[in-house]
Amino acid sequence: MKLSQESEAVVRATSGAVAAHADEITTLFYRQMFAAHPELLRVFNRANQAIGEQPKALAASIVAFAVHLIDPDAPDFSPIMRRIAHKHVSLGVRARQYTVVERHLLAAVGAVLGDAVTPEVRSAWEEVYWLFGCALIAEESRLYALGEPIQNTRGERTVWWSGSRRQKTSSPSSSRPCPDPSLLIGPDSTWRSR
């Protein structure tokens, strides 16, 4: 997993600003995403939302992932990635939901950072997001493919993954880290390709 040269330079230059405003960005992101997609409220622990833990966790993981991409001496991100993937699988997160998150997360970055988010900055952070998202989709697909029962963390149900519903992702050696995101959209989506 590697950022393009152009994006790496932009992320290096802007990561401090994104990190400094990460909590504000993710708080706005969740508020806007839940307003547009209230059905996603069931995926997130409402207590963690109420006390602000979920936005902080998302902010910390995105910043840590970006640092991982730009700093060769950064700690290994794999254990965090696996923990997030296990959590997502326990909640039944699906690959198509990543496009909804991307749209609202990047909109929140733009709203908080304003004019600092040029098309180049947006593109670089979109690349960070999709490297992160596609790595999670691949790991979640692997976990779902195991077909093992996973207890929902809220204890509401056990999620069984059916082999007929597996999400196909490209191999790690592929030049593209995961399928074209437009392939992950359901017919009810309003997301459009650029």
Side-chain angles (χ1 to χ4, degrees):
M1 232 178 322
K2 187 162 175 54
L3 278 171
S4 66
Q5 234 176 345
E6 300 82 15
S7 291
E8 184 175 343
V10 172
V11 171
R12 279 186 192 283
T14 59
S15 60
V18 171
H21 297 282
D23 287 342
E24 185 181 355
I25 290 166
T26 55
T27 298
L28 178 61
F29 153 72
Y30 280 113
R31 188 170 59 241
Q32 291 177 337
M33 183 181 70
F34 290 147
H37 297 276
E39 72 280 4
L40 294 177
L41 280 166
R42 68 170 179 76
V43 176
F44 296 92
N45 180 310
R46 290 185 189 197
N48 285 344
Q49 286 293 328
I51 62 173
E53 289 302 313
Q54 184 67 41
K56 287 178 185 171
L58 177 62
S61 64
I62 291 171
V63 170
F65 185 74
V67 168
H68 162 77
L69 291 173
I70 63 174
D71 182 357
D73 297 324
D76 181 18
F77 196 76
S78 300
I80 296 167
M81 185 78 68
R82 283 191 299 273
R83 187 183 54 165
I84 294 168
H86 277 272
K87 178 73 168 181
H88 283 180
V89 169
S90 77
L91 296 169
V93 169
R94 301 291 184 249
R96 68 184 172 274
Q97 293 166 327
Y98 281 83
T99 56
V100 171
V101 170
E102 178 237 3
R103 182 176 58 244
H104 291 284
L105 184 59
L106 292 177
V109 170
V112 171
L113 298 181
D115 292 340
V117 182
T118 63
E120 294 79 18
V121 170
R122 179 182 166 81
S123 179
W125 283 95
E126 184 175 30
E127 187 176 338
V128 168
Y129 175 81
W130 280 112
L131 285 172
F132 190 29
C134 289
L136 284 169
I137 290 167
E139 179 63 14
E140 290 159 14
S141 294
R142 186 187 72 75
L143 293 170
Y144 283 134
L146 293 174
E148 297 177 5
I150 300 170
Q151 182 64 39
N152 179 293
T153 57
R154 292 186 304 246
E156 296 169 347
R157 69 188 189 297
T158 299
V159 178
W160 292 87
W161 186 251
S162 154
S164 65
R165 300 176 88 193
R166 286 186 197 135
Q167 191 61 242
K168 185 178 179 184
T169 59
S170 60
S171 69
S173 61
S174 169
S175 62
R176 186 178 181 106
C178 74
D180 180 337
S182 66
L183 300 175
L184 305 175
I185 311 295
D188 58 337
S189 175
T190 59
W191 185 83
R192 295 179 301 257
S193 289
R194 289 176 210 26

